[in-house]
Amino acid sequence: EAPATVNVACAGDIPANTSLTAIDNCSGEITAQGVDTAVPGNCPNSFTVTRTWTFTDACNNTSSVSQTINVNDTIAPVAPEAPATVNVACAGDIPANTSLTAIDNCSGEITAQGVDTAVPGNCPNSFTVTRTWTFTDACNNTSSVSQTINVNDTIAPVAPEAPATVNVACAGDIPANTSLTAIDNCSGEITAQGVDTSVPGNCPNSFTVTRTWTFTDACNNTSSVSQTINVNDTIAPVTPEAPATVNVACAGDVPANTSLTAIDNCSGEITAQGVDTADPGNCPNSFTVTRTWTFTDACNNTSSVSQTINVNDTIAPVAPEAPATVNVACAGEVPAMISLTAIDNCSGEITAQGVDTSVPGNCPNSFTVTRTW
């Protein structure tokens, strides 16, 4: 009798060929080895074998039996356990792709490389990678395992130390704005320029600047540092040397008022006109003038210098020549009174009327008149 039909999954599972024995009417036992013929299927482990034993006696009388062996691999490889889920912050932290090995019922070990597919997030370092290893045997039976790799950057850049507070006197002394560099876990160096905001004070050179550097990575994680710059001008202008004291005789000789220039630490040249104050004396040409120049900068810091001008007239008018002596016989012949004019250093012409004084003689027409101007 023919051996029963056999169904196996793999070519390697085909039963070993054996011999069968027939009984011949003349020869007795006749033993024959099976002969295999195969009809291919659609893959190396899908085909049909017909194993036939043919028995021939001494007179070439033959008989045969056949066994069918069906080979059909429908069993997928046994995949290994999937690698554990990985959570990383940066695209650069994704683990290197590796190969995994499955065990197939026919092929034995089947090694496959992972294939990555990504689902984007909302920034370059926020997405999900699915890494899949697919194992395919010779008959296209497949199995697979997948690993999830979550990429999510929530770490802000590490900001550098803030520059030290700076105290300056003038707006023009504020340090130039510079860039600073932070270190980000994903992007590496991130350089930012400072941004200034000001809180006004009570004058152009009195205010506070806050200079802030903000570092933003590819996923909008931010960090910042700030520097304080205090601007406060308390320095008065540097005055010029005061003009020397002047001594004059007349009010008209007081020097004309002029302007002087001081040097300010913030404003540069500051020019001021002198202001005169007078301390009266005992006559119009006897007094003291203090001429003061006051220099005021933009923050009302002031400095001043003063000059003293002394006015003191001690010079008498220059009298004209006295009229000549007159000799007359009678009191009625005394010349009529006249005025004379002197020249004064301050007042100019000073005109005076004569004043007569008499020294009597021994009769009404004998006396001496002294006429004084």
Side-chain angles (χ1 to χ4, degrees):
E1 186 177 349
T5 296
V6 172
N7 296 306
V8 296
C10 308
D13 296 335
I14 294 174
N17 201 334
T18 61
S19 60
L20 293 180
T21 300
I23 302 298
D24 184 61
N25 61 323
C26 294
S27 304
E29 289 186 352
I30 298 174
T31 299
Q33 191 75 13
V35 175
D36 291 347
T37 57
V39 177
N42 55 7
C43 67
N45 287 307
S46 176
F47 57 93
T48 301
V49 173
T50 302
R51 180 168 286 167
T52 303
W53 290 265
T54 301
F55 306 96
T56 305
D57 65 12
C59 286
N60 282 327
N61 298 303
T62 63
S63 61
S64 64
V65 294
S66 294
Q67 177 188 30
T68 300
I69 303 169
N70 296 309
V71 180
N72 188 22
D73 182 12
T74 59
I75 302 171
V78 178
E81 188 174 353
T85 296
V86 172
N87 297 306
V88 296
C90 309
D93 297 334
I94 293 175
N97 201 333
T98 60
S99 61
L100 294 180
T101 299
I103 302 299
D104 185 57
N105 61 316
C106 295
S107 304
E109 290 188 347
I110 296 177
T111 299
Q113 191 75 11
V115 175
D116 290 348
T117 57
V119 177
N122 55 7
C123 67
N125 287 307
S126 176
F127 57 94
T128 300
V129 173
T130 301
R131 180 168 287 169
T132 302
W133 290 263
T134 300
F135 307 96
T136 304
D137 67 12
C139 283
N140 283 324
N141 299 301
T142 63
S143 60
S144 63
V145 292
S146 295
Q147 178 188 30
T148 299
I149 303 168
N150 297 310
V151 181
N152 188 24
D153 182 15
T154 59
I155 302 172
V158 178
E161 188 172 355
T165 297
V166 172
N167 298 306
V168 296
C170 308
D173 296 334
I174 292 175
N177 201 333
T178 59
S179 60
L180 293 180
T181 299
I183 302 299
D184 185 58
N185 60 315
C186 294
S187 304
E189 290 189 346
I190 296 177
T191 298
Q193 191 75 11
V195 175
D196 290 348
T197 57
S198 294
V199 177
N202 55 7
C203 67
N205 287 307
S206 176
F207 57 95
T208 300
V209 173
T210 301
R211 180 168 287 169
T212 302
W213 291 264
T214 301
F215 307 95
T216 303
D217 67 14
C219 284
N220 284 324
N221 300 302
T222 63
S223 59
S224 63
V225 292
S226 295
Q227 177 188 31
T228 299
I229 302 169
N230 297 309
V231 181
N232 188 24
D233 182 15
T234 59
I235 301 172
V238 177
T239 61
E241 189 172 353
T245 297
V246 172
N247 298 305
V248 296
C250 307
D253 295 334
V254 173
N257 200 334
T258 59
S259 62
L260 293 180
T261 299
I263 302 298
D264 185 58
N265 61 316
C266 295
S267 305
E269 290 189 346
I270 297 177
T271 299
Q273 192 73 14
V275 175
D276 290 348
T277 56
D279 184 12
N282 55 8
C283 69
N285 287 307
S286 176
F287 57 93
T288 300
V289 174
T290 301
R291 181 168 287 168
T292 302
W293 291 264
T294 301
F295 307 95
T296 304
D297 68 14
C299 283
N300 284 323
N301 300 301
T302 63
S303 58
S304 62
V305 292
S306 296
Q307 177 187 31
T308 299
I309 303 169
N310 297 307
V311 181
N312 189 22
D313 183 12
T314 59
I315 302 172
V318 177
E321 190 173 351
T325 298
V326 174
N327 296 302
V328 296
C330 304
E333 295 173 356
V334 173
M337 177 64 71
I338 60 173
S339 62
L340 292 181
T341 299
I343 302 300
D344 185 58
N345 62 315
C346 293
S347 304
E349 290 186 348
I350 297 177
T351 299
Q353 196 74 11
V355 175
D356 289 349
T357 57
S358 295
V359 177
N362 54 10
C363 69
N365 286 305
S366 176
F367 56 91
T368 299
V369 174
T370 300
R371 182 167 286 171
T372 302
W373 293 267

